[in-house]
Structures are given as structure tokens and as C-alpha cells.
Amino acid sequence: MKYIDEYRNGTLVRDIARQIASTADPARSYHFMEFCGGHTHVISRYGFEDLLPDNVRMVHGPGCPVCVLPIGRIGAAIALAMRPEITLCTYGDLMRVRDRNGWSLLKAKAAGADIRMVYSTLDALRIAEAEPQREVVFFAIGFETTTPPTALALKTAIARNLGNFSIFCNHVVTPAAIHNILESPDVSKPGTIKIDGFIGPAHVSAVIGTKPYEFFAEKFRKPVVVAGFEPLDVIQAVLMLVRQINDGRHVVENQYIRAVTRLGNVKAQAEVANFFELRESFEWRGLGELPLSGLRLRPQYAAYDAEKRFSMMTFTAEDNPACECGAILRGVKKPADCKLFGTVCTPDTPMGSCMVSSEGACAAHWTYGRFRTKARQPDAGRAVA
Amino acid sequence: MCLAIPVEVREVLPDEMARVTLDGVSKIISTALIDDVRPGDYVILHVGYALTKINPEEAERTLALIQEAAMGHAT
């Protein structure tokens, strides 16, 4: 497949890994956070932990929308879906996330709720048009990549006067999360978690461009390399970060030049700005309330805002106290550090969000990484199951 | 969630839609977020919408830079 296969050349990946090993200063260590769950998946799937030298380590970040969605919002969506007049349309990623009562959208669907998995907001619009007697609510989640399609759905619903279509908006923004990580005590205090640089998200950056990261690179003196989602993209980005550190530089570099520009997709940004505004704060699972980190519909579109239209109640709900998803999302702990990992928490029975989404750090480690852990620590049966 | 795939535009359709193909699989998608779409263009497809066009020159340049990096040249 064009633009995919050529970026998966294993020989080249190994060659660049060798260049990283020879470029990295053996007297120091390098810790790079891949913000995006897509990168987490690639790093686990292609065995980067073994490819990279021991002094170049990757730290998983919170860039997985399913992982950071607080379970109170899931509970609110389930409660809404249980109402007889409601048809809840959702991306498949959300179906198995449990609320505080152990319910999921999948369980609610089995109990009779009209919940439909859709590939696109276009499908949700089609359902609303085809079934005017139903109240069709689109469960919108995701970072800046997924927000423009929601904005266009709203635009289309307004243009077609679809009075039975509304949006439960849970969209979040990337810069606020990066800012939170860099200012958190975990990272900012000496002697705690070390992050020397960031791999910036691929498709979020296709929308917002590389410009928003310039502030972080400058203020926190951390290099950022925006990278594509193929293994050659990621390994090249790691090499670029190592070189920046060695040279004492901290700038934003763009590895994904085939799809990302400095200013991003201005048309998509304008569509989002037309329909959405920043919330004063929004709760992130594992990170807590983050200021100016989430979006809501602008007041003039209240008729299409499911939270207002159906007086939805959202509440803060605690995670299972034994679940380490919060610390894992902040890069403070690794999946195998959680005592639930591989015991009661597996992809079949996920306790925490990092195991529910295939892009979550725990699911990625379960699928691709735990065998390596087992090989290294034969007595660590508890953690690797 | 933010995963997206490069697909080839085969036919530009009315109402800012297009028919695209990936490895023989054909799909109708929205091109409302991008301008000046033509058959033969490759676009990044995410949840039914083209997010951006792939720049073929930059794609080639990336591969050239990767080749250089693999041989130990600074990129």
C-alpha cells in the first residue's frame, strides 16, 4: 500500500536504531514521551523497547482519548442511552469502557438500549435523517483529529434542519495536556520522572500544525519532533530527538512533512472554531481537572448540545483504587507496575481505561510487550500472567 | 483513535464527497475539510473525512532523509 509499506522497511528501522545507539551518549540517559496512543501502539507493536539502546527509553503519555475520558462521562452516556427515545451513536472504541457501576455501553446495549456503533459522524447523520422519530445523539470524543468531523456533522445537521440530532461533546485539546504534564510535580521536580523531549502526535498535528508546540519547546526547553505513525517515522523521530539533546537544542522539528505543516489545516481549524469553544476546565481520567482543556458547543447551538437538551448529569467518579491508570497516563508508572495488570485486568476484562483501548499503554503492553518482560524477569509471573 | 490511513482519490463526487480506494477497497468519504481534491491525490482518511492531502514530494524527501540517516548521515 502506497505511503504505508515503504515506511515499514524493517532493515532501515534496524539501521536507524543502530545509528541511535552510536549517536546516543553512553554517559547519559534519554527519556522521550510519546504523547499519542497511536505512537504507543507502534512502539509496542514493532518492539522498539528492544530496538533502542538501554539508555534511550520511551515514556507513554496520555494521548488516548478513550483512556482519558472520565468514567463519570461514560456513566452519563449510558444513562442517556437507557432512555427509550434516545439512539446513541458512538465510535467502537468506547463500547467496553466501564462506568463506576461496572456497566459499559456494550452491556447497556445488551440490556436493550439503542446504541449503535458508527464509523463516522456521517453515519450518525444518516441515522438521524432516516429515523426522524428517534432522538439521535452522537457521543463525540477525541483530540483535535476527531473534532473537525464533529464540527462538520453539526454544520450539516443545521443546514438540513435535523432537529433530532445532537452531540454529547467530550472533545479535548492536546496543548493543555502537554502543559499539564510539563508542569506536574511528577516531571518538574528534580529526581522524579524524567522527560527530555516529546514525540508530537501525527494527525492532531495535521490539523493544528506544529506551531502550538513552539511555546513548550521554548518555555520548558524540551525538544519536540512531530512524527508519523509508521515505524520508520517513529524511529527517525527518536534519532532527531537524540541529536537535539546532544546539540543542546530544544526546537520543534517536523518529521511528518508529508502530511503536516507549521500552520496545519486552517480550514478544519476554522470549522472547529465556528461551532466549539473552550470549557473553563474539563476532567481527564488520571490527570484530574485541567483548565482550558476541553471543548463544548457554542451557546448559540444549545439545541444541538445533548448535555443541555437532555439536562444530562455528569459526576466525578473514582477509579478502582488499585488501578494505576492515572500514574500510567502521566508516564509515572509502567503497565507491569500495576498489580491488576494481567491478573483481573486484561483486554477481555479491562478494569482500567489503559486496557480498554487498543491504544492504551496496558493493552499495547499486554499484546506485544509482556512476553519480553517475562523473558527478562522469569519470576515476575504476577505482572506478566 | 487518531489513527488514519492514506487512501487514493479515484473520483471526485458532488457535495464535497469523493470515492477513494485502499488496496482495492472502495469507500465514499467527505472532502469538506480540504481544498482542490483531484483524482490521483492521496489523502489521510480519518473517521470518514479527508484530513489533509499527502504531499508526494515531501513523502519522497522523507524517505531520502531516512535512507541517509540509516547510513549515518545527519538529517
Short mmCIF file of all heavy atoms in Angstrom, two decimals, chain A residues 119-165:
data_model
loop_
_atom_site.label_atom_id
_atom_site.label_comp_id
_atom_site.label_asym_id
_atom_site.label_seq_id
_atom_site.Cartn_x
_atom_site.Cartn_y
_atom_site.Cartn_z
N TYR A 119 -18.89 4.35 12.20
CA TYR A 119 -17.52 4.61 11.75
C TYR A 119 -17.27 6.11 11.68
O TYR A 119 -16.16 6.59 11.88
CB TYR A 119 -17.31 3.95 10.39
CG TYR A 119 -16.12 4.47 9.62
CD1 TYR A 119 -14.82 4.23 10.09
CD2 TYR A 119 -16.26 5.20 8.45
CE1 TYR A 119 -13.72 4.71 9.40
CE2 TYR A 119 -15.17 5.68 7.76
CZ TYR A 119 -13.89 5.44 8.23
OH TYR A 119 -12.80 5.93 7.56
N SER A 120 -18.35 6.86 11.42
CA SER A 120 -18.18 8.27 11.10
C SER A 120 -19.41 9.05 11.56
O SER A 120 -20.51 8.49 11.68
CB SER A 120 -18.01 8.41 9.59
OG SER A 120 -18.09 9.75 9.19
N THR A 121 -19.22 10.36 11.77
CA THR A 121 -20.38 11.21 12.06
C THR A 121 -21.36 11.20 10.88
O THR A 121 -22.55 11.45 11.06
CB THR A 121 -19.95 12.66 12.34
OG1 THR A 121 -19.17 13.14 11.25
CG2 THR A 121 -19.11 12.76 13.61
N LEU A 122 -20.85 10.91 9.69
CA LEU A 122 -21.72 10.83 8.51
C LEU A 122 -22.79 9.74 8.73
O LEU A 122 -23.94 9.91 8.32
CB LEU A 122 -20.90 10.51 7.25
CG LEU A 122 -19.85 11.54 6.84
CD1 LEU A 122 -18.89 10.94 5.82
CD2 LEU A 122 -20.52 12.79 6.28
N ASP A 123 -22.40 8.64 9.37
CA ASP A 123 -23.34 7.55 9.64
C ASP A 123 -24.41 8.01 10.64
O ASP A 123 -25.59 7.69 10.49
CB ASP A 123 -22.61 6.33 10.22
CG ASP A 123 -21.56 5.78 9.26
OD1 ASP A 123 -21.74 5.93 8.05
OD2 ASP A 123 -20.55 5.22 9.74
N ALA A 124 -23.97 8.76 11.67
CA ALA A 124 -24.92 9.24 12.68
C ALA A 124 -25.94 10.19 12.03
O ALA A 124 -27.14 10.14 12.34
CB ALA A 124 -24.17 9.95 13.80
N LEU A 125 -25.46 11.03 11.12
CA LEU A 125 -26.37 11.94 10.41
C LEU A 125 -27.38 11.15 9.57
O LEU A 125 -28.56 11.49 9.52
CB LEU A 125 -25.57 12.89 9.51
CG LEU A 125 -24.79 14.00 10.21
CD1 LEU A 125 -23.81 14.64 9.25
CD2 LEU A 125 -25.73 15.05 10.79
N ARG A 126 -26.89 10.10 8.92
CA ARG A 126 -27.78 9.27 8.09
C ARG A 126 -28.88 8.64 8.95
O ARG A 126 -30.05 8.58 8.55
CB ARG A 126 -26.98 8.19 7.36
CG ARG A 126 -26.47 8.63 5.99
CD ARG A 126 -25.95 7.45 5.18
NE ARG A 126 -24.66 7.01 5.70
CZ ARG A 126 -23.49 7.50 5.29
NH1 ARG A 126 -23.46 8.44 4.37
NH2 ARG A 126 -22.36 7.05 5.78
N ILE A 127 -28.49 8.18 10.14
CA ILE A 127 -29.48 7.56 11.04
C ILE A 127 -30.51 8.60 11.46
O ILE A 127 -31.73 8.33 11.47
CB ILE A 127 -28.76 6.95 12.28
CG1 ILE A 127 -27.93 5.73 11.85
CG2 ILE A 127 -29.78 6.56 13.36
CD1 ILE A 127 -26.96 5.21 12.91
N ALA A 128 -30.05 9.82 11.78
CA ALA A 128 -30.98 10.88 12.20
C ALA A 128 -31.96 11.23 11.08
O ALA A 128 -33.15 11.48 11.33
CB ALA A 128 -30.20 12.12 12.63
N GLU A 129 -31.48 11.21 9.85
CA GLU A 129 -32.36 11.53 8.71
C GLU A 129 -33.34 10.41 8.43
O GLU A 129 -34.51 10.64 8.13
CB GLU A 129 -31.51 11.79 7.46
CG GLU A 129 -30.91 13.18 7.45
CD GLU A 129 -30.26 13.51 6.12
OE1 GLU A 129 -29.34 12.77 5.72
OE2 GLU A 129 -30.65 14.51 5.49
N ALA A 130 -32.85 9.18 8.56
CA ALA A 130 -33.69 8.02 8.23
C ALA A 130 -34.74 7.74 9.31
O ALA A 130 -35.76 7.12 9.03
CB ALA A 130 -32.80 6.79 8.02
N GLU A 131 -34.44 8.17 10.54
CA GLU A 131 -35.35 7.85 11.65
C GLU A 131 -35.73 9.12 12.41
O GLU A 131 -35.28 9.35 13.54
CB GLU A 131 -34.68 6.83 12.59
CG GLU A 131 -34.29 5.54 11.87
CD GLU A 131 -33.62 4.51 12.78
OE1 GLU A 131 -34.06 4.39 13.93
OE2 GLU A 131 -32.66 3.87 12.33
N PRO A 132 -36.55 9.96 11.80
CA PRO A 132 -36.87 11.26 12.41
C PRO A 132 -37.61 11.14 13.74
O PRO A 132 -37.62 12.09 14.53
CB PRO A 132 -37.76 11.93 11.36
CG PRO A 132 -38.25 10.84 10.47
CD PRO A 132 -37.20 9.77 10.50
N GLN A 133 -38.19 9.96 14.01
CA GLN A 133 -38.91 9.79 15.29
C GLN A 133 -37.94 9.52 16.45
O GLN A 133 -38.36 9.56 17.60
CB GLN A 133 -39.94 8.65 15.17
CG GLN A 133 -39.37 7.23 15.19
CD GLN A 133 -38.66 6.82 13.88
OE1 GLN A 133 -38.52 7.61 12.95
NE2 GLN A 133 -38.22 5.57 13.84
N ARG A 134 -36.66 9.25 16.17
CA ARG A 134 -35.68 8.97 17.21
C ARG A 134 -34.86 10.22 17.53
O ARG A 134 -34.59 11.03 16.64
CB ARG A 134 -34.71 7.86 16.77
CG ARG A 134 -35.34 6.55 16.35
CD ARG A 134 -35.92 5.79 17.50
NE ARG A 134 -34.90 5.46 18.51
CZ ARG A 134 -35.19 5.15 19.77
NH1 ARG A 134 -36.45 5.16 20.20
NH2 ARG A 134 -34.23 4.84 20.63
N GLU A 135 -34.46 10.35 18.78
CA GLU A 135 -33.52 11.41 19.17
C GLU A 135 -32.11 10.82 19.03
O GLU A 135 -31.70 9.97 19.83
CB GLU A 135 -33.76 11.83 20.63
CG GLU A 135 -34.92 12.78 20.81
CD GLU A 135 -34.59 14.20 20.32
OE1 GLU A 135 -33.42 14.48 20.00
OE2 GLU A 135 -35.53 15.02 20.25
N VAL A 136 -31.40 11.23 18.02
CA VAL A 136 -30.08 10.65 17.73
C VAL A 136 -28.99 11.53 18.36
O VAL A 136 -28.86 12.70 18.05
CB VAL A 136 -29.85 10.51 16.22
CG1 VAL A 136 -28.44 9.96 15.94
CG2 VAL A 136 -30.91 9.60 15.61
N VAL A 137 -28.23 10.93 19.28
CA VAL A 137 -27.16 11.65 19.97
C VAL A 137 -25.83 11.04 19.56
O VAL A 137 -25.65 9.81 19.65
CB VAL A 137 -27.32 11.55 21.51
CG1 VAL A 137 -26.18 12.31 22.21
CG2 VAL A 137 -28.67 12.11 21.95
N PHE A 138 -24.91 11.89 19.12
CA PHE A 138 -23.57 11.40 18.78
C PHE A 138 -22.64 11.62 19.97
O PHE A 138 -22.51 12.74 20.46
CB PHE A 138 -23.03 12.11 17.54
CG PHE A 138 -21.64 11.66 17.17
CD1 PHE A 138 -21.43 10.38 16.69
CD2 PHE A 138 -20.55 12.49 17.34
CE1 PHE A 138 -20.15 9.94 16.38
CE2 PHE A 138 -19.26 12.06 17.03
CZ PHE A 138 -19.07 10.78 16.54
N PHE A 139 -22.03 10.52 20.43
CA PHE A 139 -21.10 10.55 21.57
C PHE A 139 -19.73 10.95 21.03
O PHE A 139 -18.99 10.11 20.53
CB PHE A 139 -21.08 9.16 22.22
CG PHE A 139 -20.38 9.07 23.55
CD1 PHE A 139 -20.44 7.88 24.28
CD2 PHE A 139 -19.70 10.13 24.12
CE1 PHE A 139 -19.82 7.75 25.51
CE2 PHE A 139 -19.07 10.02 25.34
CZ PHE A 139 -19.13 8.83 26.04
N ALA A 140 -19.42 12.24 21.12
CA ALA A 140 -18.21 12.77 20.47
C ALA A 140 -17.04 12.77 21.44
O ALA A 140 -17.11 13.41 22.50
CB ALA A 140 -18.48 14.19 19.99
N ILE A 141 -16.00 12.02 21.10
CA ILE A 141 -14.77 12.10 21.89
C ILE A 141 -13.60 12.23 20.94
O ILE A 141 -13.72 11.98 19.74
CB ILE A 141 -14.54 10.87 22.82
CG1 ILE A 141 -14.04 9.66 22.02
CG2 ILE A 141 -15.77 10.52 23.60
CD1 ILE A 141 -13.32 8.66 22.89
N GLY A 142 -12.45 12.61 21.49
CA GLY A 142 -11.25 12.63 20.68
C GLY A 142 -10.50 13.95 20.77
O GLY A 142 -11.04 14.96 21.23
N PHE A 143 -9.27 13.89 20.31
CA PHE A 143 -8.43 15.08 20.26
C PHE A 143 -8.73 15.87 18.98
O PHE A 143 -9.74 15.63 18.31
CB PHE A 143 -6.96 14.66 20.32
CG PHE A 143 -6.51 14.25 21.70
CD1 PHE A 143 -6.58 12.93 22.11
CD2 PHE A 143 -6.04 15.19 22.60
CE1 PHE A 143 -6.17 12.55 23.38
CE2 PHE A 143 -5.64 14.83 23.88
CZ PHE A 143 -5.70 13.51 24.27
N GLU A 144 -7.83 16.75 18.63
CA GLU A 144 -8.08 17.68 17.51
C GLU A 144 -8.26 16.98 16.17
O GLU A 144 -8.81 17.55 15.23
CB GLU A 144 -6.93 18.69 17.39
CG GLU A 144 -6.84 19.68 18.53
CD GLU A 144 -5.96 19.21 19.68
OE1 GLU A 144 -5.80 17.98 19.84
OE2 GLU A 144 -5.43 20.08 20.41
N THR A 145 -7.82 15.74 16.06
CA THR A 145 -8.00 14.98 14.82
C THR A 145 -9.48 14.71 14.57
O THR A 145 -9.96 14.76 13.45
CB THR A 145 -7.30 13.60 14.94
OG1 THR A 145 -6.07 13.77 15.63
CG2 THR A 145 -7.07 12.98 13.60
N THR A 146 -10.18 14.40 15.64
CA THR A 146 -11.55 13.90 15.54
C THR A 146 -12.58 15.02 15.68
O THR A 146 -13.75 14.82 15.39
CB THR A 146 -11.76 12.82 16.63
OG1 THR A 146 -10.59 12.00 16.67
CG2 THR A 146 -12.94 11.94 16.32
N THR A 147 -12.13 16.20 16.13
CA THR A 147 -13.07 17.30 16.34
C THR A 147 -13.62 17.89 15.04
O THR A 147 -14.84 18.15 14.97
CB THR A 147 -12.40 18.41 17.20
OG1 THR A 147 -11.79 17.80 18.33
CG2 THR A 147 -13.43 19.42 17.67
N PRO A 148 -12.81 18.11 14.00
CA PRO A 148 -13.38 18.68 12.78
C PRO A 148 -14.53 17.85 12.19
O PRO A 148 -15.54 18.44 11.77
CB PRO A 148 -12.19 18.78 11.81
CG PRO A 148 -11.00 18.86 12.71
CD PRO A 148 -11.33 18.01 13.89
N PRO A 149 -14.44 16.51 12.17
CA PRO A 149 -15.60 15.74 11.69
C PRO A 149 -16.87 15.98 12.52
O PRO A 149 -17.97 15.97 11.97
CB PRO A 149 -15.12 14.29 11.81
CG PRO A 149 -13.65 14.37 11.62
CD PRO A 149 -13.25 15.65 12.31
N THR A 150 -16.71 16.20 13.82
CA THR A 150 -17.88 16.51 14.65
C THR A 150 -18.43 17.88 14.29
O THR A 150 -19.66 18.08 14.19
CB THR A 150 -17.52 16.46 16.15
OG1 THR A 150 -16.88 15.21 16.44
CG2 THR A 150 -18.75 16.61 17.03
N ALA A 151 -17.53 18.84 14.07
CA ALA A 151 -17.96 20.19 13.67
C ALA A 151 -18.74 20.16 12.36
O ALA A 151 -19.78 20.80 12.22
CB ALA A 151 -16.75 21.12 13.56
N LEU A 152 -18.23 19.38 11.41
CA LEU A 152 -18.93 19.29 10.12
C LEU A 152 -20.27 18.59 10.24
O LEU A 152 -21.22 18.93 9.52
CB LEU A 152 -18.05 18.56 9.09
CG LEU A 152 -16.91 19.38 8.50
CD1 LEU A 152 -16.21 18.58 7.41
CD2 LEU A 152 -17.40 20.70 7.91
N ALA A 153 -20.37 17.63 11.15
CA ALA A 153 -21.66 16.97 11.38
C ALA A 153 -22.68 17.97 11.89
O ALA A 153 -23.84 18.00 11.46
CB ALA A 153 -21.49 15.83 12.37
N LEU A 154 -22.22 18.82 12.81
CA LEU A 154 -23.11 19.86 13.35
C LEU A 154 -23.52 20.83 12.25
O LEU A 154 -24.70 21.21 12.13
CB LEU A 154 -22.39 20.59 14.49
CG LEU A 154 -23.14 21.67 15.25
CD1 LEU A 154 -24.48 21.16 15.76
CD2 LEU A 154 -22.31 22.17 16.42
N LYS A 155 -22.55 21.21 11.44
CA LYS A 155 -22.83 22.14 10.33
C LYS A 155 -23.87 21.53 9.39
O LYS A 155 -24.82 22.22 8.96
CB LYS A 155 -21.52 22.39 9.57
CG LYS A 155 -21.60 23.44 8.49
CD LYS A 155 -20.23 23.59 7.82
CE LYS A 155 -20.24 24.70 6.77
NZ LYS A 155 -18.91 24.85 6.15
N THR A 156 -23.71 20.25 9.09
CA THR A 156 -24.64 19.57 8.19
C THR A 156 -26.03 19.45 8.82
O THR A 156 -27.05 19.67 8.15
CB THR A 156 -24.11 18.16 7.84
OG1 THR A 156 -22.79 18.30 7.31
CG2 THR A 156 -24.98 17.46 6.81
N ALA A 157 -26.06 19.13 10.12
CA ALA A 157 -27.35 18.99 10.81
C ALA A 157 -28.11 20.30 10.79
O ALA A 157 -29.34 20.33 10.57
CB ALA A 157 -27.10 18.53 12.25
N ILE A 158 -27.39 21.40 10.99
CA ILE A 158 -28.03 22.72 10.96
C ILE A 158 -28.54 23.02 9.55
O ILE A 158 -29.68 23.47 9.36
CB ILE A 158 -27.04 23.80 11.46
CG1 ILE A 158 -26.74 23.59 12.95
CG2 ILE A 158 -27.60 25.20 11.21
CD1 ILE A 158 -25.53 24.37 13.46
N ALA A 159 -27.69 22.76 8.55
CA ALA A 159 -28.07 23.05 7.16
C ALA A 159 -29.29 22.24 6.74
O ALA A 159 -30.15 22.73 5.99
CB ALA A 159 -26.88 22.75 6.24
N ARG A 160 -29.39 21.00 7.22
CA ARG A 160 -30.51 20.14 6.84
C ARG A 160 -31.67 20.23 7.82
O ARG A 160 -32.65 19.49 7.69
CB ARG A 160 -30.04 18.68 6.74
CG ARG A 160 -29.01 18.46 5.64
CD ARG A 160 -28.60 16.99 5.57
NE ARG A 160 -27.46 16.80 4.69
CZ ARG A 160 -26.75 15.67 4.60
NH1 ARG A 160 -27.10 14.63 5.35
NH2 ARG A 160 -25.74 15.57 3.78
N ASN A 161 -31.51 21.10 8.82
CA ASN A 161 -32.55 21.30 9.82
C ASN A 161 -32.94 19.99 10.50
O ASN A 161 -34.13 19.68 10.66
CB ASN A 161 -33.77 21.98 9.18
CG ASN A 161 -34.64 22.66 10.21
OD1 ASN A 161 -34.18 22.92 11.33
ND2 ASN A 161 -35.90 22.91 9.88
N LEU A 162 -31.92 19.24 10.91
CA LEU A 162 -32.15 17.96 11.57
C LEU A 162 -32.41 18.22 13.06
O LEU A 162 -31.48 18.28 13.86
CB LEU A 162 -30.94 17.03 11.42
CG LEU A 162 -30.78 16.27 10.10
CD1 LEU A 162 -29.51 15.45 10.11
CD2 LEU A 162 -31.99 15.34 9.89
N GLY A 163 -33.65 18.37 13.42
CA GLY A 163 -34.00 18.71 14.80
C GLY A 163 -33.82 17.57 15.78
O GLY A 163 -33.90 17.77 16.99
N ASN A 164 -33.59 16.35 15.26
CA ASN A 164 -33.47 15.19 16.16
C ASN A 164 -32.02 14.73 16.31
O ASN A 164 -31.76 13.61 16.73
CB ASN A 164 -34.32 14.02 15.63
CG ASN A 164 -33.81 13.52 14.28
OD1 ASN A 164 -33.31 14.31 13.46
ND2 ASN A 164 -33.95 12.22 14.03
N PHE A 165 -31.08 15.62 15.97
CA PHE A 165 -29.65 15.25 16.07
C PHE A 165 -28.98 16.16 17.10
O PHE A 165 -29.19 17.37 17.10
CB PHE A 165 -28.96 15.43 14.71
CG PHE A 165 -27.49 15.11 14.71
CD1 PHE A 165 -27.06 13.80 14.61
CD2 PHE A 165 -26.54 16.12 14.83
CE1 PHE A 165 -25.69 13.50 14.60
CE2 PHE A 165 -25.18 15.83 14.83
CZ PHE A 165 -24.76 14.51 14.71
#
